[in-house]
Amino acid sequence: MLDESLLDAPEALARADTRGLLREAAESGARVRTAARHAAEAGVADLKPDGRPRAVLVAGPGAAGSCTADLLGALSGGNIPVSLIGPTGVAPAPGALRWTLPGWVGPLDLLVIATPDGTEPGLPRLVEQAYRRGCALVAVAPGHSPLAGAVAQARGLMVPLATSAYDPPGSGPSPYATTRPDEAAPAPDPGTARPEAHPEGALDEPAPSGAQARHTTPPHIEPPGTAPDEVTGPALPGTLWALLTPLLMLVDRIGLVAAPPAALQQVADRLDRVAERCGPAIATYTNPAKTLAAELAGSLPLLWTEGPVAAATGRRFAGLLATLAGRPALAADLPGALAAHGTLLAGSFAGGADPDDFFRDRVEEPEALRARIVLLHDEPVGPVSAVPSARELALAHETAFSELEPDEGSPLERAAELLAITDFAAVYLALASADRT
């Protein structure tokens, strides 16, 4: 049950937001700028690759890996295969996760590791696999973490995670970032991928002791503004952009996605503008995120998407609704969603379905769950769009629907706006849900 009065009570929202979710969402633009500076200081902007890799593989815990891979694949337009290496394990705890490179991976491929934690034992093992295969390696993780040391040993490129929105200049480079940029080019020559002085099993050596151990394995510090379960759960808004921004700069260097510094500045500006429109002080009737959160109360969201960026956003939104707000949601791409979810609109979840007596007392009974369509599209509706058919189907079945279309801009800007509005909406739904707070 949603307490809608809470949505227009900024002080009450602040008290309910014990995990700093609204701050995470509001600081996304600043996190983009900080992450871009960290990536530049680490040498990403100086990379001079010989060409595009054959494939890009992304690994990371929870949504840090899955959302990053999904968005990179959507923004790349299919120019290069972008694949997620999903973890295995007996539990979602970081210590239980393991990653394995596919058998076909070799020197022509690029491995990207994205994690807000960096203490997962399975990730250094993955680094060792990549090193032995001659695979190029780039990681975004907290600079003082075991993973950072493993990446430096493998002569990969390590980009320190922007753990706050306003890290001071010069704080970006990790103490492990001793690799020159040209040694971590995404498409390395097989003969230079393994340095001569580095023994085959160096990554399996026991940890050093004494002062050296204290330097190479400093204690893990929880990034400010993140939730303890974020490592294997949702990638919160600010953390997602801290992970994604350096990788956008990387794929810009290899010609996969157009993300020059000016474009990233536009993304940060667009995120700032969305934060102004969706902030807690803005009333619900003029706040698109609060409006969407109120509309989704008591409903089963059917997230119908058109366009690769919108599809990735819909899948992330469904994950946030489940993890933050405890609400189920189904995401599907148009036009297939019309058939895939058509039966839901005609059954007990239909908007007009109420088989019981109209005059019965409903005060003490839970409200029935009704389907609500949320249309997400990253391009204006054109002559071959399925969005008009989706609207007609919703009206024919008396099903309520909401629609989000970003303002004009580059694909990166449109992606940023869709992600930001849905992130804010998921946060508001979580904070204003009486059963969650």
Side-chain angles (χ1 to χ4, degrees):
M1 185 175 185
L2 188 75
D3 182 4
E4 293 193 32
S5 64
L6 189 65
L7 292 177
D8 287 323
E11 294 182 358
L13 280 173
R15 289 193 298 270
D17 190 14
T18 57
R19 299 169 62 185
L21 300 176
L22 284 173
R23 182 182 64 187
E24 273 278 321
E27 291 181 347
S28 295
R31 196 75 73 93
V32 168
R33 298 183 183 94
T34 303
R37 186 175 67 248
H38 283 197
E41 292 174 350
V44 173
D46 298 325
L47 289 175
K48 297 179 181 179
D50 295 330
R52 292 182 179 180
R54 178 178 57 181
V56 177
L57 298 99
V58 181
S66 59
C67 288
T68 300
D70 209 4
L71 289 167
L72 286 179
L75 292 168
S76 71
N79 294 326
I80 293 177
V82 179
S83 305
L84 172 69
I85 303 177
T88 59
V90 297
L97 299 178
R98 297 292 182 269
W99 289 263
T100 303
L101 283 178
W104 53 266
V105 173
L108 298 179
D109 305 306
L110 168 64
L111 172 63
V112 170
I113 297 178
T115 173
D117 187 81
T119 63
E120 304 90 341
L123 289 178
R125 296 190 179 104
L126 181 65
V127 169
E128 180 182 359
Q129 296 175 44
Y131 172 76
R132 290 181 173 176
R133 303 270 192 96
C135 181
L137 173 65
V138 176
V140 182
H144 295 279
S145 65
L147 176 62
V151 172
Q153 268 194 312
R155 300 178 71 83
L157 179 61
M158 175 66 205
V159 180
L161 180 73
T163 55
S164 66
Y166 305 105
D167 289 351
S171 64
S174 161
Y176 305 105
T178 57
T179 305
R180 296 194 309 271
D182 57 346
E183 293 172 336
D189 181 79
T192 60
R194 181 176 299 162
E196 296 178 2
H198 192 85
E200 177 72 15
L203 295 179
D204 292 324
E205 293 177 355
S209 58
Q212 187 179 3
R214 288 192 296 272
H215 173 71
T216 55
T217 56
H220 170 60
I221 301 174
E222 188 69 30
T226 62
D229 61 347
E230 186 180 356
V231 174
T232 54
L236 300 183
T239 303
L240 175 66
W241 285 106
L243 293 168
L244 187 60
T245 301
L247 301 181
L248 289 173
M249 296 176 64
L250 173 70
V251 295
D252 174 73
R253 298 300 301 164
I254 63 178
L256 185 58
V257 175
L264 293 178
Q265 180 61 47
Q266 292 173 345
V267 167
D269 293 342
R270 179 71 66 99
L271 290 170
D272 288 344
R273 289 197 294 271
V274 174
E276 292 174 358
R277 294 168 53 202
C278 299
I282 306 302
T284 299
Y285 68 91
T286 59
N287 188 319
K290 287 184 179 180
T291 299
L292 182 58
E295 291 171 345
L296 294 182
S299 70
L300 172 65
L302 304 181
L303 309 178
W304 290 0
T305 63
E306 186 171 73
V309 170
T313 302
R315 289 187 286 269
R316 170 172 168 78
F317 190 27
L320 284 179
L321 289 174
T323 312
L324 294 183
R327 303 298 181 95
L330 301 175
D333 301 344
L334 291 172
L338 302 178
H341 294 166
T343 305
L344 290 172
L345 302 183
S348 59
F349 292 104
D354 191 358
D356 301 323
D357 180 22
F358 177 80
F359 295 100
R360 68 181 173 85
D361 185 10
R362 294 174 172 82
V363 174
E364 301 298 330
E365 299 180 15
E367 184 180 355
L369 200 63
R370 296 285 180 247
R372 184 181 189 93
I373 297 170
V374 180
L375 298 175
L376 301 171
H377 47 103
D378 50 44
E379 295 284 353
V381 176
V384 295
S385 172
V387 170
S389 298
R391 296 170 181 157
E392 293 174 4
L393 185 64
L395 293 174
H397 288 280
E398 300 180 6
T399 301
F401 71 93
S402 308
E403 189 168 344
L404 288 181
E405 178 186 345
D407 294 336
E408 294 182 359
S410 67
L412 281 175
E413 290 179 272
R414 295 196 297 269
E417 182 171 338
L418 281 178
L419 286 167
I421 293 177
T422 52
D423 283 349
F424 269 106
V427 169
Y428 283 126
L429 192 59
L431 296 180
S433 295
D435 54 339
R436 299 292 294 176
T437 57

